[in-house]
Each structure stands twice: as structure tokens, then as C-alpha cells.
Amino acid sequence: MSTIGVLGMQGAIREHVHMLEALGADTLVVRSVDDLTRIDGLVLPGGESTAMRRLLDRYELLEPLRENTELPMFGTCAGLILLATEVEGYDAHLRKIPMTVKRNAFGRQVDSFEVDLTVKGIDDAVEAVFIRAPQVASVEASVDVLAEVEEAIVAVRYDKYMACSFHPELTADLSMHRYFLEMVEATKRQLA
């Protein structure tokens, strides 16, 4: 079974760990470069992307994560922003998925909502919680759009990276984490 890291800077870290362990994965809360050598995949939780960027710099994780081309990553909410190659009005962070994102595109905290979402590659509707959520404004043709809400792109996959605007870790629905674990296992087989 895979060991999945959860970036331990900000956001619903414990909730992601709980979901991954419910699916049988070993987990590690990642706070150092050494931690990256012990994991097969990395979850980037939600939070506030600018604060997360400052913490990535402080813990000297930004460049190692940018340079790592083999580690599958799954970004949720602010994690989606971290993975984008372009962020409207801001500097990009990890630059893994060729897409442009718009921060807080669904509005403020009071505009939060939940929806049952059809996600490409997952049979049943996914419970999706949107809180100050970003949207994907555009993607390059090589990016697979997995889900949309009212024609706004809210989940994508590119190579060994996936990202969603919402918070699957705040529901009881394990399907997005299961999807990521399958991606990690496929990557491990390719690299073996």
C-alpha cells in the first residue's frame, strides 16, 4: 500500500489523513524536504494560498516540490491554486497543471455551498463542499476536465496531478481520495 503525505501547513490536514487511512493508505504529515523522500503521493489541503506559499518558502519546500516531477499530487481548494501554472493577479506557486485559476471565484465565506457533482471517472455523484472556492478560468488542451459547476471548471487532472476547487475531506465521501490513490498506484507501477 502507498504512503501518502498531507502537506502539514494549513487547512483540514487531519480530515485528509482520516480519509486516506480509511482507504487503507499509510499517511505522513509533511513538513520537511526529508518527508518528501518517504511518500508516494502528496495531498495539498485547502487554506489560504498566499499564507501557504509563505510557509512553503519558510520550510524550504517550494523549490523541491517544483523540481519533483515524479510525485503525484492532489490539491483541494487552495491546493488547486498551488498547482496552477497561472493565477490571475498573483504569482504562480508549484506550476504543475497548465491552467489559469481565479481565487475566491465563487464568492466569500457566506457564499459557501454544497452540491452533488458528476466527476468524470467516478461512477456516483461526489459530495462537494465549496468554501471561498477558486475556479479554473482556462486549461490547456492536455488537461482533462473532470467536473464543472454551471460551466465553471472545478476539477481537473493532468499527468500525475489532480485538483479540485471543493473540499472532499469535509464530507463522508471517499471517492476523490480513492481516485487519487489509484493514480498513485498507477504511477508507482510506471516507475517500477
Side-chain angles (χ1 to χ4, degrees):
M1 182 46 78
S2 296
T3 299
I4 307 298
V6 178
L7 189 66
M9 305 279 162
Q10 197 184 48
I13 300 161
R14 185 176 26 206
E15 288 81 356
H16 279 293
V17 166
H18 175 74
M19 297 193 98
L20 292 162
E21 290 179 348
L23 292 166
D26 294 324
T27 59
L28 176 69
V29 176
V30 170
R31 294 193 176 97
S32 73
V33 174
D34 286 344
D35 292 338
L36 298 178
T37 64
R38 299 163 43 204
I39 59 174
D40 302 303
L42 178 65
V43 172
L44 306 162
E48 205 288 311
S49 60
T50 304
M52 291 175 76
R53 167 60 183 270
R54 281 201 290 281
L55 291 167
L56 286 171
D57 287 334
R58 179 182 299 169
Y59 290 95
E60 300 180 345
L61 279 164
L62 184 71
E63 288 305 323
L65 285 172
R66 274 187 183 165
E67 293 167 4
N68 190 319
T69 58
E70 296 184 349
L71 184 67
M73 298 183 199
F74 174 27
T76 63
C77 197
L80 172 139
I81 296 169
L82 293 178
L83 291 174
T85 54
E86 300 286 335
V87 181
E88 287 185 1
Y90 299 88
D91 291 333
H93 309 291
L94 300 178
R95 303 176 185 152
K96 297 295 185 183
I97 301 176
M99 62 181 178
T100 301
V101 299
K102 181 177 179 183
R103 298 173 60 192
N104 302 328
F106 283 105
R108 301 179 320 162
Q109 189 97 10
V110 296
D111 301 311
S112 301
F113 63 99
E114 295 181 39
V115 65
D116 289 332
L117 192 63
T118 299
V119 177
K120 184 177 175 183
I122 297 176
D123 292 337
D124 297 320
V126 172
E127 290 179 67
V129 176
F130 292 81
I131 303 170
R132 295 180 59 216
Q135 289 178 6
V136 179
S138 64
V139 296
E140 291 191 3
S142 54
V143 176
D144 196 6
V145 174
L146 301 180
E148 297 178 69
V149 170
E150 297 176 359
E151 300 184 10
I153 299 171
V154 296
V156 296
R157 178 178 176 176
Y158 172 75
D159 191 19
K160 59 187 70 68
Y161 310 109
M162 67 181 276
C164 62
S165 298
F166 50 93
H167 291 270
E169 78 280 7
L170 300 181
T171 73
D173 188 335
L174 298 172
S175 55
M176 293 297 288
H177 290 77
R178 183 178 296 112
Y179 188 109
F180 180 59
L181 284 175
E182 291 168 1
M183 283 178 52
V184 171
E185 292 297 327
T187 300
K188 284 171 63 178
R189 286 193 295 274
Q190 289 172 357
L191 296 175

